[in-house]
Amino acid sequence: MQSTNKIRLILLSLIFGISAIFSSWAQVKSGPMLGYSEMKEVLIWVQTQKPALVQIKYWEKGSDANKLLHLSSAISTQKSQANIARIIADEVDMGKKYTYEVWVDNKKVNFDYPLEFQTQTLWQYRTDPPNFQFVVGSCNYINEEATDRPGRPYGGADEIYKAIYDKKPDFMIWGGDNFYYREADWNTRTGMIHRNDHTRGQKSVQPLLASTHHYAIWDDHDYGPNDADRSFALKHTSLELFKLYWGNPNFVYPNEAVTGMFQWADVEFFMMDDRWFKAPNDEKNPAKDYFGQKQLQWLLDALTTSRASFKIIVNGGQVINPAKVFENMANYEQEHTQLLKEIKNRNIPGVLFISGDRHWSSFWKMERPGTYPLFDLTVSPLTAGTATPTPEDLNSSLVPGTVSNQRAFAHISVSGPLKDRILEINLVNSEGKELWKQRITSSQLK
């Protein structure tokens, strides 16, 4: 009799646990997702199934939640804004980790994975910068039978999200083509919202969203149609939705482009837009715009001002690869030359690039007489289909042994004393297996 009661209790607890999870999913459509982390505030993103009141409760990890509880402002989600709440946690201390809860319409939403965020550390003039780790990926395609092309599904391997989650990175950079607008999507705001919702709402990615901070740029497929450029008619709608669905800390231009930057410890990331100002690929003019002069001058000035150990330029397309194929910056001759020349002429140390787009991963090294070499880490794809290099890609700038056409992400760690920081890159496949490794020190980039 006693054993029967125990079995009943176990079954009841399982039923109530499953019910709580389904209840959570009924209230929250996707998220929570962590946006930027700064010393004085953190952004937390939540999307509800219908208009609702959303609030975050949080406390320092390991402390007594009843005594040290903080409450965010309550945000009312609205259908016109895709029922999204962008909540600021602004009662935080520097260099701390926090546990948080999501409350919808005054009811706690239960999740079967941890909800945690962190604030950045004030290390300047005090200690060496903290060690940290982050992940980079691009080209994230989620199948949807109704709008996919006929034939073999293009997307797959969503187990990659767990492989990333298992690395416990401090943050993730989404390097463009973070989802793929289809023909049914890019001509209307409704279609764009549907694609954002469909991709963001995948159950397999939710644990990663909830406890890792996220930053993003876009490339053609999450800006508009394939190879979309400055002529895309709904570019302002696309920009509106990028700002609604992502949690970047800033944008250089209030009403143009997704250009911005952020800092983590002693590393600065320059988030570039290779779509908004970009001339059509088929324009026969070597002086045609890629970043455009306004954005390019901002980048060069920001790099010149920066005192970061590593100055990482994040862009959709490849910059260092000299092959004039697809949408590499080499096709835009004058700007490409100008960018590389000015980095040298201004004597800017610490520059390297991260790119995506190509559906195969690689590492590039451009030797420059009289100064340090430039590197470009290409990481692609996450879940989209894979590809292989063209004959033109197999040039002297390609580091031997770094080509991979597996679905993969880069796991990057930064460590060491301020005067000689070490950046270690590990390319990891969807099963969590390391494919290759590269190491750069800040002293090499001077």
Side-chain angles (χ1 to χ4, degrees):
M1 185 69 176
Q2 194 173 7
S3 61
T4 304
N5 287 336
K6 285 184 178 178
I7 292 170
R8 285 176 180 170
L9 286 171
I10 292 170
L11 288 172
L12 283 171
S13 63
L14 284 171
I15 290 168
F16 282 122
I18 293 169
S19 297
I21 292 169
F22 277 108
S23 174
S24 303
W25 291 345
Q27 293 171 287
V28 173
K29 188 171 187 176
S30 58
M33 179 188 78
L34 302 183
Y36 64 81
S37 167
E38 291 292 339
M39 296 183 194
K40 294 292 187 180
E41 65 179 45
V42 165
L43 184 144
I44 302 169
W45 182 100
V46 181
Q47 184 180 38
T48 57
Q49 292 281 3
K50 59 184 180 180
L53 191 69
V54 182
Q55 191 171 33
I56 300 297
K57 297 183 179 183
Y58 57 101
W59 58 94
E60 189 177 333
K61 186 176 179 180
S63 68
D64 187 342
N66 294 319
K67 294 180 180 178
L68 298 172
L69 182 67
H70 302 280
L71 301 176
S72 73
S73 299
I75 304 292
S76 295
T77 62
Q78 303 173 15
K79 183 180 179 182
S80 63
Q81 296 298 300
N83 295 320
I84 288 171
R86 296 166 55 85
I87 297 171
I88 304 298
D90 56 5
E91 296 178 356
V92 294
D93 291 325
M94 297 174 289
K96 301 291 185 181
K97 292 188 177 182
Y98 291 83
T99 301
Y100 70 98
E101 296 174 344
V102 178
W103 287 68
V104 176
D105 289 336
N106 298 312
K107 294 180 181 178
K108 179 186 172 184
V109 181
N110 296 301
F111 298 90
D112 58 348
Y113 43 83
L115 305 185
E116 297 178 356
F117 67 80
Q118 64 176 301
T119 55
Q120 291 203 49
T121 301
L122 179 61
W123 60 272
Q124 291 88 340
Y125 304 104
R126 293 161 175 82
T127 65
D128 283 321
N131 300 339
F132 65 94
Q133 56 178 327
F134 65 100
V135 160
V136 180
S138 69
C139 303
N140 183 47
Y141 190 100
I142 305 299
N143 297 324
E144 186 189 42
E145 186 176 356
T147 56
D148 289 348
R149 296 180 184 181
R152 182 180 178 181
Y154 191 58
D158 68 350
E159 66 270 15
I160 199 168
Y161 306 132
K162 184 179 185 302
I164 295 172
Y165 177 81
D166 288 344
K167 294 293 183 183
K168 302 299 181 196
D170 293 294
F171 60 94
M172 178 171 180
I173 296 176
W174 296 76
D177 293 341
N178 304 316
F179 57 83
Y180 283 67
Y181 283 132
R182 276 74 139 176
E183 291 82 356
D185 304 327
W186 61 60
N187 286 324
T188 64
R189 186 174 185 271
T190 300
M192 290 181 175
I193 288 174
H194 169 77
R195 185 57 50 211
N196 276 274
D197 285 356
H198 181 259
T199 301
R200 183 62 57 80
Q202 297 302 303
K203 298 303 179 190
S204 54
V205 77
Q206 301 309 309
L208 173 62
L209 298 178
S211 59
T212 300
H213 293 272
H214 296 272
Y215 302 84
I217 61 168
W218 63 19
D219 203 22
D220 52 342
H221 293 290
D222 48 345
Y223 165 73
N226 184 48
D227 294 349
D229 53 49
R230 65 191 179 196
S231 68
F232 177 46
L234 266 68
K235 61 196 291 184
H236 285 279
T237 303
S238 188
L239 178 62
E240 174 205 354
L241 296 183
F242 182 95
K243 291 181 175 181
L244 186 61
Y245 280 84
W246 290 105
N248 289 5
N250 55 63
F251 296 92
V252 171
Y253 310 109
N255 302 305
E256 297 180 305
V258 299
T259 316
M261 67 168 295
F262 73 94
Q263 180 171 348
W264 201 285
D266 59 320
V267 180
E268 289 185 350
F269 298 84
F270 301 84
M271 311 292 276
M272 301 302 291
D273 188 324
D274 64 355
R275 296 293 148 189
W276 191 271
F277 303 107
K278 181 174 172 290
N281 292 339
D282 293 336
E283 182 181 329
K284 306 301 181 184
N285 180 358
K288 62 185 179 181
D289 292 329
Y290 185 77
F291 291 137
Q293 284 302 308
K294 180 165 68 172
Q295 185 180 202
L296 182 57
Q297 289 303 321
W298 169 81
L299 174 63
L300 291 168
D301 289 347
L303 290 172
T304 302
T305 302
S306 172
R307 297 297 178 263
S309 300
F310 296 106
K311 304 169 181 63
I312 299 179
I313 301 169
V314 184
N315 187 56
Q318 292 179 326
V319 177
I320 294 304
N321 183 1
K324 294 183 177 181
V325 296
F326 296 100
E327 293 193 286
N328 288 356
M329 193 180 184
N331 289 300
Y332 290 68
E333 296 176 15
Q334 187 165 302
E335 262 196 39
H336 189 236
T337 301
Q338 180 184 358
L339 172 62
L340 301 182
K341 181 179 179 181
E342 281 298 300
I343 290 173
K344 182 177 181 180
N345 288 349
R346 297 186 186 208
N347 196 26
I348 302 171
V351 174
L352 62 148
F353 296 84
I354 291 178
S355 57
D357 180 58
R358 297 298 306 278
H359 295 253
W360 51 279
S361 298
S362 54
F363 195 59
W364 302 84
K365 181 179 182 180
M366 174 185 282
E367 297 288 357
R368 299 184 300 158
T371 188
Y372 66 89
L374 289 176
F375 296 93
D376 190 344
L377 167 66
T378 300
V379 188
S380 171
L382 284 167
T383 60
T386 60
T388 56
T390 68
E392 293 85 352
D393 288 309
L394 304 177
N395 55 67
S396 60
S397 294
L398 180 61
V399 175
T402 65
V403 171
S404 169
N405 65 351
Q406 296 187 45
R407 290 171 169 130
F409 62 93
H411 178 235
I412 302 173
S413 63
V414 181
S415 61
L418 178 61
K419 292 184 178 180
D420 194 20
R421 292 287 264 174
I422 300 167
L423 187 145
E424 188 169 274
I425 303 165
N426 293 275
L427 189 73
V428 182
N429 70 11
S430 60
E431 298 173 352
K433 178 183 176 182
E434 183 183 295
L435 301 177
W436 52 254
K437 179 184 293 187
Q438 294 288 322
R439 185 176 182 270
I440 304 171
T441 64
S442 57
S443 58
Q444 286 178 264
L445 306 184
K446 293 179 180 179

